[in-house]
Amino acid sequence: QVQLVESGGGLVQPGGSLSLSCAASGSIFSGKSMGWYRQAPGRQRELVASISSGGNTNYAPSVKGRFTISRDNAKNLVYLQMNSLKPEDTAVYYCNAVTAIVIASLGGYWGQGTQVTVSS
């Protein structure tokens, strides 16, 4: 059964921090690079951070130095620590595999996401 459950979003003031978590089923997670995506209203979904099964990470320029992605391979969990948040970080955040072929092979499944709102 394919499952992605994101949590940890909320309302935070500019400059604040949030920590997101994602519980993934093994079919999506095991041995695969995972990523955090976000989609703001009226914009396309974008990949903001990724991590390989071995722990190598990559970040979009807009979040580099502020966000940190990590994973727990034993528990099929992916995390996103977000610091120094800005209003432009406001979006629904999703986790999923990084490779489009992997996502397609699992029926294009996406979880419900978690809303992050950065506002004073």
Side-chain angles (χ1 to χ4, degrees):
Q1 182 179 359
V2 177
Q3 188 174 29
L4 289 163
V5 180
E6 301 92 347
S7 62
L11 173 64
V12 63
Q13 292 186 342
S17 298
L18 280 175
S19 182
L20 306 184
S21 298
C22 171
S25 57
S27 56
I28 296 175
F29 186 93
S30 297
K32 299 179 179 66
S33 294
M34 294 294 293
W36 280 96
Y37 301 75
R38 67 185 181 189
Q39 186 167 22
R43 302 189 66 176
Q44 288 190 333
R45 186 177 291 159
E46 62 171 339
L47 178 65
V48 297
S50 64
I51 185 167
S52 70
S53 57
N56 294 319
T57 59
N58 283 288
Y59 299 93
S62 59
V63 307
K64 195 169 186 178
R66 300 187 297 121
F67 290 10
T68 302
I69 188 172
S70 59
R71 66 191 289 164
D72 184 333
N73 288 336
K75 297 181 179 179
N76 288 7
L77 294 171
V78 187
Y79 305 101
L80 187 68
Q81 177 65 40
M82 305 186 295
N83 298 327
S84 302
L85 283 162
K86 305 175 181 180
E88 51 264 43
D89 294 319
T90 295
V92 179
Y93 284 71
Y94 304 86
C95 70
N96 211 325
V98 169
T99 306
I101 291 176
V102 172
I103 297 174
S105 71
L106 297 170
Y109 177 82
W110 290 85
Q112 83 289 349
T114 186
Q115 176 71 47
V116 172
T117 302
V118 185
S119 175
S120 55

